[in-house]
């Protein structure tokens, strides 16, 4: 399992504890996507992508070179350049689909 996190995510830093606190008044942990895992993680790898991801953005995570390199490693032999093209295409499709859904909600 790979974990990617950034301390620059204002949604997780401002609202995660509030949302989780609604379910448990004693909840005090920060979001995993904000601070990464604590202590030993065994076979889990954690990557601070704050240099590449500056907000609560799936698009920024998908386009981060750290993510692309790890995905290429897991896919055995797929080159990062090929993944970047695929990621950009999927990201654009996601944005288009999300925009279409948002437009329909306003109708």
């Amino acid at each position: 399992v790979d974990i990617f996190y950034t301390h620059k995510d204002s949604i997780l830093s401002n609202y995660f504890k509030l949302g989780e606190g609604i379910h448990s008044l004693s909840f005090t942990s920060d979001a995993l996507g904000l601070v990464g895992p604590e202590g030993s993680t065994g076979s889990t790898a954690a990557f601070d992508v704050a240099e590449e991801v500056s907000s609560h953005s799936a698009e920024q995570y998908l386009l981060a070179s750290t993510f692309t390199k790890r995905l290429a490693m897991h896919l055995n032999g797929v080159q990062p350049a090929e993944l970047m093209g695929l990621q950009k295409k999927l990201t654009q499709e996601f944005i288009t689909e999300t925009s279409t859904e948002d437009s329909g909600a306003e109708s």
Side-chain angles (χ1 to χ4, degrees), residues 33-99:
L34 183 66
V35 297
E38 294 179 14
S40 176
T41 56
S43 63
T44 300
F47 301 92
D48 182 352
V49 293
E51 290 185 18
E52 300 178 89
V53 179
S54 61
S55 67
H56 193 74
S57 167
E59 178 181 9
Q60 286 185 19
Y61 274 96
L62 290 172
L63 296 175
S65 64
T66 305
F67 176 82
T68 302
K69 289 174 186 170
R70 288 298 289 184
L71 186 57
M73 183 196 79
H74 289 298
L75 294 176
N76 296 325
V78 176
Q79 297 302 311
E82 293 175 80
L83 287 173
M84 286 302 289
L86 177 60
Q87 285 173 308
K88 286 179 182 176
K89 179 182 178 197
L90 291 173
T91 300
Q92 187 57 48
E93 288 176 7
F94 173 77
I95 291 169
T96 302
E97 182 178 305
T98 304
S99 297

Side-chain angles (χ1 to χ4, degrees), residues 2-13 16 27 29-38 46-50 53-57 61:
D2 288 347
I3 299 170
F4 299 89
Y5 63 95
T6 177
H7 67 274
K8 295 180 179 178
D9 187 326
S10 63
I11 300 298
L12 292 179
S13 66
F16 179 77
F27 189 85
S29 296
D30 286 315
L32 185 60
L34 183 66
V35 297
E38 294 179 14
F47 301 92
D48 182 352
V49 293
V53 179
S54 61
S55 67
H56 193 74
S57 167
Y61 274 96

